[in-house]
Amino acid sequence: MAFKMSVQGFKGKIGEVTIGTGDKAITLGGQNAVAFFETEGEGANTPKIGLEILDVYPEEWIASLQELYKDVAQNTVQWAKFVEEKFNPDFICLRFVGADPNGLNKPVEECAEVAKAVAEAITLPLVIAGTNNHEKDAKLFEKVAAAVDGHNCLFLAATEDNYKAVGAAAGLAYQHKVGAESSVDINLAKQLNVLLGQLGVKNEDVVMNIGCAAAGYGFEYVVSTMDRIRLAALGQNDKTLQAPVITPVAFETWGVKESIAELEDAPEWGSREDRGIAMEVSTAASIITVGSDAVVVRHPKSLETLRNFAGALV
């Protein structure tokens, strides 16, 4: 007797969220089954892979990446154009490290000018990440959202501390997309989505960032949280959790010891660049496999590997 796989149908469906404008716009979500069970569902969009750039010179990045970007990294607009032309990721993630109050503390008006120039210089969708200082990000995103009006950007991220300011500016005043950032907990993710909804942000304007960790650093909690969120959204038809997920992998993987230890300090580990790429790829591939709709990476080799991986699984 021929084997016949049983099929589990789901009542729920992940909503679709579009980022960017024109021919290069991308759509996240749309699936009505768990990740890569294509025999059980339909409608899922291919996972999207984006490359990270900064608003300052990447002094803490590995030497090979500094060398790659040496002619453009002093100018964020040139950097963005270089990435688009040479690597053509699905989107670009502009991270405002320079606005950090514990660093250069650049004024938000200056950051807004940079964001506007970048958005006007590229055709790829733009994801804008802040400083991880919630108070500064609220002010930063208010100015930046206005500056990139009409470009349909995704802002990372609104948190429990600043969702009113971020949601009002990015999601309501200027019709951008809002990243809802929680801390690896299904209840926190649901609560933040509800709060954004009560504020008036539409479901189709919300992308979840449920948190991330590098593989081997509590990553199993991220996986289990993703599983619970997806099963609630699909199996229980919980509309408060039916949003696509983006995972900023690069923000975590390049800061762990396997990625930052110099070769002379750990010669048995081999090349620092190879270690960093391996950590980034293994983390990103794993989170895509359990359901993330988009990931942010730093190294172009990671981008290429993950693009082939995601394309082969659809």
Side-chain angles (χ1 to χ4, degrees):
M1 180 181 295
F3 172 75
K4 184 178 181 180
M5 180 179 291
S6 61
V7 176
Q8 178 180 354
F10 290 102
K11 298 179 291 183
K13 183 178 181 180
I14 305 302
E16 291 187 319
V17 175
T18 299
I19 306 167
T21 60
D23 295 338
K24 295 293 185 69
I26 59 174
T27 300
L28 309 180
Q31 60 268 44
N32 61 350
V34 293
F36 302 125
F37 273 69
E38 56 278 335
T39 59
E40 296 188 1
E42 58 185 10
N45 292 287
T46 306
K48 302 300 188 290
I49 321 296
L51 269 184
E52 174 191 20
I53 66 172
L54 308 180
D55 66 322
V56 295
Y57 187 84
E59 295 181 355
E60 297 184 358
W61 287 17
I62 59 174
S64 59
L65 283 179
Q66 292 189 40
E67 177 65 21
L68 174 65
Y69 294 130
K70 65 179 181 179
D71 295 330
V72 296
Q74 298 285 1
N75 184 301
T76 308
V77 175
Q78 293 180 9
W79 192 353
K81 292 171 66 176
F82 177 82
V83 165
E84 177 175 41
E85 294 168 2
K86 186 171 181 63
F87 303 116
N88 191 32
D90 294 311
F91 61 92
I92 290 175
C93 178
L94 170 57
R95 189 178 181 190
F96 279 100
V97 173
D100 190 343
N102 296 316
L104 296 177
N105 197 23
K106 287 186 175 183
V108 296
E109 292 81 8
E110 179 182 339
C111 296
E113 292 176 1
V114 170
K116 180 180 180 180
V118 169
E120 292 175 347
I122 63 175
T123 60
L124 291 173
L126 186 61
V127 173
I128 297 173
T131 66
N132 206 31
N133 180 294
H134 301 161
E135 182 178 354
K136 181 64 178 282
D137 285 349
K139 299 174 182 177
L140 172 68
F141 289 157
E142 181 179 358
K143 291 294 185 181
V144 173
V148 297
D149 186 21
H151 291 279
N152 191 27
C153 302
L154 169 62
F155 282 77
L156 292 181
T159 67
E160 187 176 5
D161 293 331
N162 66 12
Y163 77 91
K164 290 183 179 179
V166 177
L172 299 180
Y174 300 102
Q175 289 79 53
H176 295 294
K177 302 303 184 288
V178 179
E181 180 180 352
S182 53
S183 301
V184 198
D185 185 285
I186 184 174
N187 295 315
L188 295 177
K190 181 172 182 176
Q191 175 181 318
L192 186 53
N193 290 350
V194 169
L195 291 172
L196 285 169
Q198 292 174 346
L199 187 65
V201 180
K202 299 177 182 178
N203 291 339
E204 58 265 31
D205 291 335
V206 174
V207 177
M208 292 189 292
N209 170 14
I210 67 167
C212 184
Y217 286 82
F219 185 69
E220 64 273 18
Y221 293 106
V222 180
V223 171
S224 62
T225 300
M226 178 73 82
D227 283 340
R228 293 183 65 195
I229 287 173
R230 280 293 189 248
L231 291 175
L234 298 171
Q236 301 172 24
N237 199 22
D238 189 337
K239 298 188 182 303
T240 63
L241 292 170
Q242 290 174 344
V245 174
I246 185 170
T247 309
V249 170
F251 300 4
E252 298 289 335
T253 58
W254 288 94
V256 298
K257 64 181 181 181
E258 289 85 355
S259 300
I260 64 177
E262 298 292 349
L263 181 60
E264 54 267 28
D265 296 327
E268 69 278 10
W269 287 0
S271 162
R272 181 184 173 190
E273 180 179 29
D274 291 345
R275 285 185 268 122
I277 295 170
M279 181 63 74
E280 186 164 57
V281 169
S282 58
T283 302
S286 299
I287 201 65
I288 288 173
T289 302
V290 295
S292 186
D293 300 279
V295 295
V296 178
V297 296
R298 179 175 299 177
H299 204 291
K301 290 184 179 179
S302 301
L303 167 71
E304 189 61 31
T305 300
L306 292 166
R307 189 152 45 190
N308 292 336
F309 171 74
L313 290 171
V314 296

